[in-house]
Amino acid sequence: QKQVRILALQHKHKENKMTHPQLEAALTKADAFIAKYPTVCQYEKLKELETKTGYSKVYFFLLVVLSLGGLTYAIGGLKLVSDLISFVYPAYASFKAIDSGMPGDDTQWLTYWILFGGMSIIENTLPFVTEWIPLYFPIKLAFFVWLYHPHFLGAGLVYTKFLRPVLAPYIDSLKKNPQSPAVSVNNLEGEADKKDM
């Protein structure tokens, strides 16, 4: 009789576990996202868990992501979380941009890394700044996501609206100075070929 009650409760739980249409839509979108990156998300293992337990693989994926996020926060705090979020995707996108052949990508990511490096230098040399500004790390995180998010591409905007107008006169004067070396990949490759001969 006890086993019959348990089986009845499990059956009732399976019937009622997803009755809300918005939850079903969110799970479907999340499942499609996980399926796009099967290796990173361990899609096959998540499917196995789903068949064994009867719960959506999205729940297990979220559990792993939240666990890793919590562990990262416990180890390094909000600084480590913001640094990782500001580094991982931009590094991946930068590697893709190297092979894309589109000059707009190069401008976007070079500007991003200049800003990332500048902020890192400020944080390390003037650590009291992070304490003076309330909610510094969430603001920093929002700023860097704005800089790199494909919808906004803020780094390109910062370059065209702020950096280029300020730095262009100095760069033009460097180009006119005959003592400044014009270094490019082609020049370096040509010099390396001469040394090999």
Side-chain angles (χ1 to χ4, degrees), residues 141-186:
L141 183 59
F143 175 66
F144 277 105
V145 169
W146 175 78
L147 286 175
Y148 74 67
H149 194 279
H151 182 72
F152 302 109
L153 297 176
L157 183 68
V158 168
Y159 174 76
T160 56
K161 297 292 183 186
F162 300 106
L163 292 178
R164 184 160 175 68
V166 170
L167 298 176
Y170 300 107
I171 292 172
D172 289 340
S173 68
L174 285 175
K175 284 180 185 175
K176 293 176 187 172
N177 184 356
Q179 294 177 344
S180 66
V183 178
S184 70
V185 175
N186 293 335

Side-chain angles (χ1 to χ4, degrees), residues 76-95:
L78 204 49
K79 179 177 177 16
L80 180 60
V81 171
S82 69
D83 285 347
L84 284 174
I85 292 173
S86 300
F87 177 79
V88 173
Y89 175 76
Y92 166 74
S94 296
F95 282 112

Side-chain angles (χ1 to χ4, degrees), residues 29 42 112 123:
K29 284 182 182 178
Q42 297 293 310
Y112 177 86
E123 283 178 12

Side-chain angles (χ1 to χ4, degrees), residues 91-106 109:
Y92 166 74
S94 296
F95 282 112
K96 280 179 50 180
I98 289 170
D99 294 330
S100 74
M102 294 172 42
D105 283 354
D106 297 343
W109 294 113

